[in-house]
Amino acid sequence: TEHVLDVYVKLILEGVYLELSSKYSKVIILGNSRISQKFNEYGVITVSPEEAKALMQNSKITLATPGLGNIYDLANAGVDCIFLPPANDSQGQQLEILKQHGLVNKSLDWSEWGEKIDYFQVQPQVMENIKSQIFLRTPADLRNLTNTLVTESREANSICSLL
């Protein structure tokens, strides 16, 4: 069986990436070296933090997981972001805290399809709930939700980054 994280990445790539690629002239997908090797057919690349910052600053829109590193990088780059559904408990907790303080304009969350996950429950329970959502969702679910949050850019050189 596939590892849960790989299923998550594939879901994001087949759902969110495909929707974005229909709206932007270029979609840049950044990932760590393991993900870029495993999903190289989607064009996932690994770059330095400086390169990532420049790519984000030159993008019309950035979508990212709500991991602490991404939150810092996005704040440092001074770019707006649509957060992807959390892949683990700490990402969910961070997203919830950002929302509570009015720091998130848009996000994709598992609760969009029904049951809300309490990311502050004990870790094994949260991870089981996230895993259930990852295996329940289809790329079409994410495409449809992404379509409601991301407006099309008709500019010739419109770039979107996906972290």
Side-chain angles (χ1 to χ4, degrees), residues 4-14 34-35 39 44 134:
V4 172
L5 182 59
D6 292 341
V7 175
Y8 173 85
V9 171
K10 191 172 182 178
L11 182 66
I12 296 298
L13 291 172
E14 292 183 357
R34 188 190 79 76
I35 289 174
F39 296 97
V44 180
I134 289 170

Side-chain angles (χ1 to χ4, degrees), residues 63 69 114 141 144:
L63 287 86
D141 291 332
N144 293 336

Side-chain angles (χ1 to χ4, degrees), residues 15-86:
V16 177
Y17 168 72
L18 289 177
E19 183 61 31
L20 295 174
S21 63
S22 73
K23 295 174 181 279
Y24 291 88
S25 60
K26 185 175 185 180
V27 178
I28 300 166
I29 310 168
L30 305 177
N32 63 35
S33 58
R34 188 190 79 76
I35 289 174
S36 66
Q37 288 173 2
K38 182 150 180 94
F39 296 97
N40 63 353
E41 72 269 20
Y42 292 94
V44 180
I45 60 172
T46 300
V47 298
S48 71
E50 295 78 22
E51 290 172 298
K53 181 179 180 180
L55 288 170
M56 286 187 285
Q57 289 175 327
N58 290 320
S59 295
K60 296 293 267 175
I61 188 170
T62 297
L63 287 86
T65 56
L68 198 52
N70 284 345
I71 293 168
Y72 285 142
D73 290 343
L74 291 160
N76 185 37
V79 297
D80 202 9
C81 176
I82 296 176
F83 284 107
L84 297 168

